[in-house]
């Protein structure tokens, strides 16, 4: 008699097939599409908000009595405020996303309005206050990254892909933000309320107001995490001994433990090597955003100060935008590479490419051969390389550590990003005054430190593709 003829008998291979199918579905799962689009679009809008003032901030600050270093602070300060904002937000978000989305939309509107009103009020520090308010909205950068690596809604083989989509949005914001900022400055709108300096603030405030309506109507939040009571339910000995399937080095924590004790138990199981990976990824993330932020803040100042360039905000905005938009097709191609190549190889390639751009820039500074073409080649290489690298850091960590650590690693990486952004923007604004050779030399040294850490931990950085 065949096994199929027995009504109450399970085929010995069926459970294996079902288990394999279930594992595949889990590894390739994706979140609700409308909600995913909202998070990606919000990431794009926040990038626009960050970059739209880059091309004209120096002129705006100068009109109100500030200098180039102050304009660098205005550009970079929001990310510092965003890092501080995560302290209360992560205490009350309950592991979910809708509340931070509402907070972000609200403060984006307030910040852009304050930035625009500073012209009429003729008050220099109001643009700084406005950017600080906008900085609260930038706290959502962390939630966008966490959403794309959240094990509740994203499979392990989809995280690098979604992180790369985030970088595509980042690149679009890097391109369109400075372009529109420079274009609005050139048009001028000779009006004390709506002009080249203030129009970016008014327009972005209106866009956020409309987008807030869409968030309220269409965003579907993730399921809430288990409560303490649910975590305290006893489980069978068989389940208690079962290891975490994706993290063989970290056993599953017994749900009978209280949350604080559970965290301490998980913490004790993180090895010295895993801590090394965490530090390495945080450093790489900080360096990437430090360099990107410093170049974005420095190019308008350096271009205006270089005699044979003599850029206006419109010229600087076009130059920055051209570098970003040229990177765009390569970042789309990177979406395909992310499914086939290991994260560590993509990170190594992006960082090496960015370093090549820095070394080329150092060379043209030393030889005095700075022109539009040579500077663009350096900017394109730096922008492409370090943008590619930023897609990897959090997705790699999310695959290395237990699912319960996703929120913590998201905060670690995002605080590294914020640190890089704010210090990079200040360094970029000060680049001409400290000397451009010193400016680029520091960036090369920071990449060198990351390279040492990266090569030391090369074997430990291996993860699943996708």
């Amino acid at each position: 008699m065949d096994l199929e003829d027995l009504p109450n008998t399970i085929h010995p291979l069926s459970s294996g097939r079902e288990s394999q199918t279930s594992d595949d579905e889990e590894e390739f799962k994706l979140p609700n599409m409308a909600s995913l689009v909202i998070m990606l679009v919000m990431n794009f809008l926040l990038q626009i908000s960050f970059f739209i003032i880059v091309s004209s901030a120096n002129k705006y600050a100068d009109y109100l009595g500030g200098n180039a270093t102050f304009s660098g602070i205005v550009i970079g300060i929001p990310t510092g405020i965003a890092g501080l904002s995560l302290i209360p937000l992560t205490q009350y978000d309950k592991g979910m996303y809708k509340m931070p989305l509402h907070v972000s939309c609200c403060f984006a509107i307030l910040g852009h309005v304050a930035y625009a009103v500073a012209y009429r009020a003729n008050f220099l520090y109001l643009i700084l206050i406005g950017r600080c308010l906008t900085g609260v909205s930038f706290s959502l950068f962390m939630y966008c990254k966490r959403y794309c690596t959240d094990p509740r809604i994203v499979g392990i083989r989809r995280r690098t892909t979604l992180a790369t989509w985030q970088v595509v949005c980042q690149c679009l914001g890097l391109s369109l933000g400075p372009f529109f900022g420079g274009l609005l400055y050139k048009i001028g709108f000779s009006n004390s309320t709506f002009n080249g300096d203030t129009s970016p603030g008014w327009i972005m405030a209106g866009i956020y107001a409309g987008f807030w309506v869409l968030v309220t109507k269409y965003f579907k939040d993730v399921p809430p995490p288990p409560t303490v009571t649910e975590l305290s339910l006893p489980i069978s000995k068989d389940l208690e001994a079962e290891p975490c399937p994706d993290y063989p080095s970290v056993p599953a924590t017994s749900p009978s433990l209280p949350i604080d004790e559970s965290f301490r138990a998980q913490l004790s199981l993180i090895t010295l090597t895993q801590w090394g990976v965490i530090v390495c990824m945080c450093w790489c993330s900080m360096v990437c955003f430090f360099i990107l932020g410093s170049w974005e803040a420095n190019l308008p100042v350096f271009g205006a100060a270089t005699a044979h360039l003599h850029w206006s905000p419109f010229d600087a905005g076009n130059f920055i935008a051209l570098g970003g938009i040229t990177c765009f097709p390569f970042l789309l191609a990177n979406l395909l590479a992310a499914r086939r190549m290991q994260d560590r190889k993509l990170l190594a390639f992006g960082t090496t490419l960015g370093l090549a751009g820095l070394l080329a820039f150092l060379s043209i500074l030393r030889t005095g051969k700075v022109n539009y073409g040579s500077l663009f080649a350096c900017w394109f290489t730096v922008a492409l390389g370090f943008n590619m690298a930023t897609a990897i850091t959090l997705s790699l960590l999310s695959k290395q550590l237990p699912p319960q650590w996703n929120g913590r690693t998201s905060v670690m990486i995002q605080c590294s990003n914020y640190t890089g952004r704010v210090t990079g923007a200040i360094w970029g604004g000060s680049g001409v005054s400290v000397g451009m050779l010193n400016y680029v030399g520091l960036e090369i040294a920071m990449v060198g430190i990351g390279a040492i850490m990266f090569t030391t931990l090369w074997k430990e950085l291996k993860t699943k593709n996708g």
Side-chain angles (χ1 to χ4, degrees):
M1 179 182 293
D2 293 335
L3 287 171
E4 289 83 350
D5 297 331
L6 295 174
N8 297 319
T9 302
I10 299 176
H11 193 285
L13 296 179
S14 64
S15 60
R17 292 194 191 101
E18 290 172 2
S19 175
Q20 183 64 42
T21 302
S22 177
D23 289 344
D24 288 344
E25 290 177 353
E26 185 69 17
E27 289 190 351
F28 287 92
K29 68 182 177 182
L30 288 169
N32 172 270
M33 188 54 64
S35 301
L36 175 61
V37 169
I38 284 174
M39 293 299 285
L40 291 175
V41 171
M42 188 61 176
N43 183 54
F44 167 68
L45 291 178
L46 292 171
Q47 298 289 347
I48 290 282
S49 291
F50 186 88
F51 292 111
I52 198 168
I53 71 151
V54 165
S55 53
S56 59
N58 188 34
K59 295 289 186 181
Y60 197 7
D62 182 65
Y63 171 80
L64 294 174
N67 55 25
T69 300
F70 185 84
S71 73
I73 295 172
V74 167
I75 293 169
I77 196 66
T79 51
I81 300 300
L84 295 175
S85 301
L86 287 177
I87 298 172
L89 277 174
T90 52
Q91 294 295 315
Y92 296 102
D93 64 15
K94 299 179 180 177
M96 302 174 80
Y97 299 90
K98 200 159 194 175
M99 184 270 283
L101 268 168
H102 288 311
V103 170
S104 182
C105 289
C106 176
F107 277 88
I109 294 169
L110 294 175
H112 282 296
V113 169
Y115 184 86
V117 168
Y119 190 98
R120 186 69 180 264
N122 196 30
F123 182 36
L124 173 66
Y125 290 97
L126 190 53
I127 63 173
L128 189 62
I129 293 169
R131 291 290 283 175
C132 288
L133 291 171
T134 308
V136 178
S137 72
F138 288 170
S139 61
L140 204 79
F141 280 135
M142 187 279 289
Y143 289 93
C144 291
K145 288 180 172 61
R146 193 177 83 181
Y147 190 86
C148 289
T149 57
D150 194 325
R152 293 172 291 177
I153 52 176
V154 182
I156 195 170
R157 291 188 181 273
R158 291 296 190 212
R159 294 175 195 170
T160 302
T161 302
L162 292 190
T164 305
W165 272 113
Q166 278 197 325
V167 173
V168 169
C169 294
Q170 178 178 301
C171 182
L172 281 174
L174 182 152
S175 304
L176 297 179
F179 172 75
F180 286 131
L183 181 63
L184 290 169
Y185 186 89
K186 184 176 179 64
I187 294 173
F189 305 105
S190 51
N191 182 305
S192 61
T193 301
F194 194 90
N195 53 53
D197 291 318
T198 66
S199 51
W202 293 121
I203 291 172
M204 290 306 299
I207 291 173
Y208 277 109
F211 186 73
W212 197 357
V213 175
L214 297 178
V215 169
T216 304
K217 186 174 182 180
Y218 294 108
F219 185 79
K220 183 179 179 181
D221 217 333
V222 299
T227 62
V228 176
T229 305
E230 291 169 335
L231 286 172
S232 301
L233 292 175
I235 57 175
S236 69
K237 292 183 178 179
D238 292 338
L239 289 175
E240 197 173 64
E242 185 179 354
C244 294
D246 292 329
Y247 310 92
S249 62
V250 184
T253 305
S254 169
S256 61
L257 291 173
I259 288 178
D260 291 338
E261 292 182 20
S262 173
F263 172 64
R264 283 195 291 269
Q266 294 170 22
L267 194 63
S268 66
L269 292 169
I270 302 298
T271 65
L272 186 62
T273 299
Q274 288 173 316
W275 279 117
V277 173
I278 292 172
V279 172
C280 179
M281 291 301 100
C282 287
W283 178 264
C284 289
S285 181
M286 187 274 291
V287 169
C288 287
F289 279 95
F290 177 90
I291 293 171
L292 289 171
S294 66
W295 275 67
E296 291 144 8
N298 178 260
L299 283 170
V301 179
F302 177 69
T306 304
H308 55 280
L309 293 177
H310 198 61
W311 285 345
S312 68
F314 179 67
D315 298 325
N318 284 344
F319 183 86
I320 296 171
L322 184 60
I325 205 67
T326 309
C327 294
F328 186 70
F330 295 94
L331 292 175
L332 286 178
N334 193 42
L335 285 167
L336 300 176
R339 299 180 181 181
R340 295 170 174 80
M341 289 182 65
Q342 294 178 14
D343 288 0
R344 60 179 181 169
K345 293 181 180 179
L346 289 171
L347 182 58
F349 177 76
T351 306
T352 303
L353 189 62
L355 177 60
L358 293 176
L359 292 172
F361 186 50
L362 181 65
S363 175
I364 66 172
L365 286 173
R366 283 186 175 277
T367 58
K369 296 180 179 179
V370 179
N371 54 50
Y372 195 96
S374 63
L375 184 58
F376 176 78
C378 298
W379 167 230
F380 164 73
T381 311
V382 166
L384 177 59
F386 290 114
N387 269 299
M388 287 178 63
T390 60
I392 304 302
T393 50
L394 180 56
S395 64
L396 189 150
L397 270 188
S398 75
K399 299 173 185 179
Q400 288 271 6
L401 297 171
Q404 300 93 326
W405 275 69
N406 187 60
R408 300 180 189 106
T409 54
S410 299
V411 172
M412 291 177 194
I413 292 294
Q414 194 58 51
C415 286
S416 302
N417 294 350
Y418 290 149
T419 302
R421 280 283 192 207
V422 67
T423 54
I426 295 171
W427 182 243
S430 306
V432 173
S433 59
V434 301
M436 291 301 294
L437 291 175
N438 294 328
Y439 162 79
V440 72
L442 176 63
E443 295 174 354
I444 292 172
M446 293 173 72
V447 175
I449 294 171
I452 294 170
M453 298 168 67
F454 193 79
T455 52
T456 303
L457 294 165
W458 177 256
K459 290 182 179 179
E460 285 72 30
L461 294 172
K462 186 175 181 180
T463 61
K464 291 183 177 181
N465 301 351

